Amino acid sequence: QLQKQSQAASTLKRDLYKLDKSIKQQAAEIKLLQTQYDQQKQAHSKQLEALNLQIKAAFTNAQPNYLKVLLNQQDPAKLSRSSIYFSYFHQARQQQLASINETLVQISNQEQALKTAQQNQQDLYKQRQRQQTQLEQKNQQRLITLKQLDQKLASQSTRISALREEEQ
């Protein structure tokens, strides 16, 4: 019985070691995901700042809107040039907005991966706690078994001593 309990405790210790290793790997993964998430957030902030500066510049320079330039039609060359400029500005803003949208998708994906990794880590902690409790119970059982063996040995030793005295 003592041998079985010792083997069970040894198996639980080995499992705990494996769980500790998994928890460390999960912590490293969470750290990496957190770093990537922070980088994506910084990139998103920079993109928004750049778009904000572009919009402020357009407002500050008081560029006439496209419709106003089109309706003035004083100089066809100027109209053509203005039309091309507006087209470039529009394309640049569209690219910035697409880039911002892509960054938001990446941030969302990173956030989901981070939450999943954190949940996995919590599950590992709970599993480790359960196994630690089982190990403590096995150790208690071993101690009880050892005490019982000690008592049996002591009683048998007493009995042997009594038998020897009777024999003498």
Side-chain angles (χ1 to χ4, degrees):
Q1 185 180 3
L2 184 62
Q3 184 180 8
K4 286 180 182 177
Q5 289 171 345
S6 294
Q7 287 175 345
S10 177
T11 302
L12 282 171
K13 284 181 185 177
R14 192 172 34 250
D15 291 345
L16 279 173
Y17 175 76
K18 289 178 184 177
L19 271 176
D20 286 340
K21 195 174 180 181
S22 295
I23 287 171
K24 286 180 184 177
Q25 289 174 344
Q26 195 68 34
E29 182 181 344
I30 286 173
K31 186 176 180 180
L32 176 66
L33 287 171
Q34 186 66 48
T35 301
Q36 291 173 346
Y37 177 77
D38 292 342
Q39 289 173 349
Q40 290 293 334
K41 290 292 268 185
Q42 286 177 350
H44 178 65
S45 295
K46 288 180 182 179
Q47 289 171 334
L48 286 177
E49 188 177 319
L51 183 63
N52 189 25
L53 288 174
Q54 188 183 62
I55 291 171
K56 279 184 182 179
F59 184 75
T60 304
N61 292 333
Q63 295 176 349
N65 65 23
Y66 185 73
L67 186 60
K68 185 175 179 182
V69 170
L70 185 63
L71 292 176
N72 276 344
Q73 290 189 10
Q74 293 174 355
D75 183 11
K78 188 176 182 181
L79 174 66
S80 176
R81 188 174 41 229
S82 295
S83 175
I84 291 173
Y85 288 152
F86 278 117
S87 171
Y88 289 151
F89 286 131
H90 180 70
Q91 286 176 351
R93 279 193 207 104
Q94 289 296 332
Q95 288 174 351
Q96 281 182 320
L97 289 173
S99 178
I100 288 171
N101 190 36
E102 183 179 326
T103 302
L104 284 174
V105 168
Q106 289 174 354
I107 287 173
S108 177
N109 291 341
Q110 288 287 58
E111 192 172 4
Q112 186 61 38
L114 189 60
K115 285 180 182 178
T116 301
Q118 288 171 339
Q119 183 60 46
N120 289 342
Q121 187 179 37
Q122 288 299 320
D123 292 344
L124 287 173
Y125 279 133
K126 288 177 184 175
Q127 185 178 355
R128 187 190 188 291
Q129 189 175 17
R130 284 192 303 270
Q131 287 191 353
Q132 183 68 36
T133 304
Q134 288 177 353
L135 178 62
E136 290 169 4
Q137 289 172 350
K138 292 291 180 187
N139 283 334
Q140 286 296 328
Q141 290 173 354
R142 278 185 64 228
L143 288 175
I144 291 170
T145 304
L146 280 173
K147 285 181 184 178
Q148 290 172 350
L149 282 174
D150 284 343
Q151 289 173 354
K152 282 183 183 180
L153 285 174
S155 74
Q156 286 178 357
S157 177
T158 305
R159 185 166 181 235
I160 289 174
S161 295
L163 287 173
R164 281 190 184 155
E165 285 178 21
E166 285 179 19
E167 181 183 28
Q168 288 176 357

